[in-house]
Amino acid sequence: MVAYTLRRLLIAIPVIVASTFTVFLLVTMAGDPLANLKGRNPPPSPQVIAVEEQRLHLDEPPLQRYWTWITGVAQGDFGPSVRTNVDIGHEIAVRFGVTVRLIAVAVLLALVLAVVVGVISAVKQYSGIDYGFTFAAFLFLSMPSFWFAVLLKQGGISLNNLIGDQVVYTIGEKSVIVEGGAWAQLADAAGHMVLPTISLALLSFGAWSRFQRASMLDVLNSDYVLFARAKGLSRRRVIVRHALRTALIPMTTVTALDFATLISGAVITETVFQWRGLGEFLVTSVSQRDAYAVLAWLLVVAVAVIVFNLIADLLYALLDPRIRHE
């Protein structure tokens, strides 16, 4: 198991290098990062522009700029930002916690709903319940993420206006001022998570529930499940103790592979609900052609996706003892 983990981590290194270098070239070709500075009225002096070009390493060839950045990352330096008052490393660390909090709760909610709905749909195949769950799954699956997020936000605003008080938070990841102690702050943070979490979770729930249903149906028709029923085991015990555990293995794969999709969904969700997470950081960095900030975002996301997939691989052995990583 240790050797397998080390091999996966070593394979991930060239993947990260290739992806970050490709994005670096795309960002550097997108335009001049000093365009906003040069467009000021009155324009800055050539000396000021030269100082900024040297600070951002714009006076170096692209390959040398990338090498300077990647060697700096190895030492904990994510490079200079176009925004002079921004420390990329500090911003990434703060915003990473915000985004992880949102994604973790959304994944947990989507998984629980998907597994429960998928299992019930499979057990009650072609029943009214199955058709109802199928309709709901395809409904959420077909909704554009930005449209669904805006719909939830508008619904929260309308509810607040109807009641005449703020019962649903629609902006930000926390209130500017929270009166009370730790419990009040915790309740405030939880309240701000309701709409963004629902927006992100339900979009994943649609696909995951259908996959869980198909996986559960496949297991229920397998020989060992039929043999367990023939031995006289109760239907509930066969489903919970034998079928469900095996049916969860493909779901583990789907969840890991969809992690990148959740990250992209979080970008939209954070933008709509004005969360200061990695999504908002990416949008701002791209709009200002901040190459090193975009690279830092990509590096964090790439490492998170690789780690998440590695954890999924290692969970296989726990879910099914027949699976071994030699």
Side-chain angles (χ1 to χ4, degrees):
M1 187 73 72
V2 175
Y4 172 80
T5 304
L6 292 176
R7 285 200 303 268
R8 287 293 303 270
L9 292 176
L10 290 176
I11 293 174
I13 294 176
V15 174
I16 293 176
V17 172
S19 60
T20 53
F21 181 68
T22 302
V23 172
F24 173 77
L25 292 179
L26 293 175
V27 174
T28 53
M29 291 186 298
D32 185 5
L34 296 179
N36 293 334
L37 176 64
K38 296 176 181 178
R40 291 178 180 176
N41 189 18
S45 64
Q47 292 79 8
V48 172
I49 295 177
V51 170
E52 282 298 296
E53 288 178 344
Q54 185 177 12
R55 183 180 70 87
L56 298 174
H57 306 288
L58 298 177
D59 55 343
E60 301 174 0
L63 286 177
Q64 184 176 348
R65 287 178 60 194
Y66 178 77
W67 177 253
T68 301
W69 176 79
I70 199 69
T71 53
V73 168
Q75 303 172 18
D77 182 10
F78 287 91
S81 172
V82 172
R83 296 157 286 177
T84 54
N85 60 337
V86 172
D87 183 341
I88 295 179
H90 174 73
E91 284 291 311
I92 285 289
V94 173
R95 293 168 181 263
F96 181 77
V98 174
T99 300
V100 166
R101 184 179 67 191
L102 172 62
I103 292 179
V105 178
V107 167
L108 180 61
L109 177 61
L111 270 178
V112 171
L113 290 176
V115 170
V116 172
V117 169
V119 170
I120 294 176
S121 294
V123 173
K124 298 185 177 296
Q125 187 182 17
Y126 302 136
S127 66
I129 295 177
D130 184 24
Y131 288 130
F133 284 152
T134 299
F135 174 79
F138 279 109
L139 178 65
F140 291 122
L141 189 61
S142 61
M143 286 184 180
S145 56
F146 67 90
W147 180 85
F148 187 48
V150 171
L151 183 66
L152 284 176
K153 182 177 181 179
Q154 187 59 44
I157 294 174
S158 300
L159 180 61
N160 290 337
N161 293 334
L162 179 64
I163 296 178
D165 194 9
Q166 189 174 40
V167 295
V168 179
Y169 296 99
T170 58
I171 296 178
E173 70 274 11
K174 62 181 180 180
S175 300
V176 178
I177 300 176
V178 180
E179 298 181 356
W183 286 109
Q185 296 180 1
L186 181 62
D188 178 76
H192 281 83
M193 289 188 65
V194 172
L195 294 183
T197 301
I198 293 175
S199 173
L200 198 58
L202 290 185
L203 294 175
S204 299
F205 154 78
W208 292 358
S209 64
R210 299 304 298 167
F211 198 89
Q212 181 63 38
R213 177 184 182 275
S215 177
M216 193 68 182
L217 283 174
D218 184 59
V219 173
L220 290 176
N221 294 322
S222 61
D223 292 338
Y224 81 93
V225 171
L226 297 176
F227 180 71
R229 290 298 307 276
K231 287 176 60 179
L233 296 179
S234 65
R235 181 179 178 84
R236 179 179 178 181
R237 184 175 183 183
V238 169
I239 293 174
V240 177
R241 295 285 302 275
H242 299 277
L244 179 58
R245 183 173 182 177
T246 305
L248 286 176
I249 297 176
M251 177 59 72
T252 306
T253 306
V254 172
T255 305
L257 294 177
D258 279 356
F259 187 74
T261 305
L262 288 168
I263 292 288
S264 63
V267 172
I268 298 173
T269 302
E270 289 177 2
T271 302
V272 172
F273 292 99
Q274 300 179 29
W275 275 45
R276 289 182 54 81
L278 288 178
E280 193 268 347
F281 179 79
L282 174 66
V283 172
T284 303
S285 301
V286 171
S287 64
Q288 299 192 9
R289 304 181 185 91
D290 198 341
Y292 294 121
V294 175
L295 285 175
W297 180 91
L298 176 66
L299 179 65
V300 171
V301 172
V303 171
V305 170
I306 290 170
V307 170
F308 205 84
N309 279 271
L310 179 60
I311 293 174
D313 288 343
L314 298 178
L315 285 175
Y316 290 166
L318 297 178
L319 293 173
D320 191 345
R322 298 172 300 176
I323 299 176
R324 291 291 184 268
H325 300 296
E326 300 297 338

